[in-house]
Each structure stands twice: as structure tokens, then as C-alpha cells.
Amino acid sequence: MESSAGNTVTISSEGGHNQRFIGMPYVKASDVKIKTNTITMNNHSFAEGETVIYKEGNANLAPLKHNERYSINKLNSTKFSLRNIGTSEIITLTT
């Protein structure tokens, strides 16, 4: 994904009153790596298999859909990828 100033992606963790929004600060478009289908966020604190909600922003990630739930594939404390709920296949990001 080519980065341009101000492009953001919002991903929030599902969970009632304790809902965490990692979109504050937002994930920068430059932190999304299309070639490896990964998102970088320092100390993201997501757990393996945690459900997150994708929110469209200035930079949208195909094929993710606004307000859809996805599962975290935790690579380490700074990188993760996404899966469709109930599958083990990593989502291929295209934009």
C-alpha cells in the first residue's frame, strides 16, 4: 500500500464496555504491508484469535469490509495479520 499523509485504518477490539480501539492513534497506511499481509503496531496487545472489528477510514483495505469482524493472527507484539472468523487462512490484503 502506498502511503500518503493522513491515510488511516481503524481496527477495534470487540468487547462491550471495555472495547479497545487501536485506531487511536490510527494505524497508518504505511504500517500495512500488502506483500506480507501484515499490520504493524507497536505493543498492539492483541491476543491470538481475538476478534476485532474493521472500520473504514481514509485508507481502506480490500477485501476487508466496514464493521465486519475478523480474527487476529498474532505474529509478535508489533505485527499481526487477519483471518476470517472460524478459518485458519490469512486474508490476502490487496489495497
Side-chain angles (χ1 to χ4, degrees):
M1 170 177 274
E2 290 185 27
S3 173
S4 61
N7 282 351
T8 60
V9 175
T10 304
I11 300 173
S12 65
S13 176
E14 182 177 49
H17 297 292
N18 295 321
Q19 189 169 9
R20 292 182 301 135
F21 289 92
I22 66 168
M24 299 179 73
Y26 295 107
V27 175
K28 297 175 187 170
S30 61
D31 292 335
V32 177
K33 305 300 181 209
I34 299 298
K35 289 182 182 179
T36 59
N37 298 307
T38 58
I39 300 169
T40 300
M41 175 175 278
N42 289 335
N43 301 312
H44 60 70
S45 72
F46 284 131
E48 175 66 25
E50 184 172 347
T51 299
V52 294
I53 303 168
Y54 172 72
K55 302 282 189 183
E56 290 180 346
N58 294 332
N60 298 319
L61 295 174
L64 303 182
K65 298 192 183 329
H66 182 66
N67 283 333
E68 287 288 322
R69 288 169 171 76
Y70 299 94
S71 177
I72 290 286
N73 177 53
K74 182 177 179 178
L75 302 170
N76 56 43
S77 65
T78 62
K79 291 184 183 180
F80 62 93
S81 55
L82 297 170
R83 296 185 288 240
N84 286 309
I85 301 291
T87 71
S88 61
E89 186 176 329
I90 301 301
I91 294 173
T92 300
L93 303 173
T94 59
T95 55

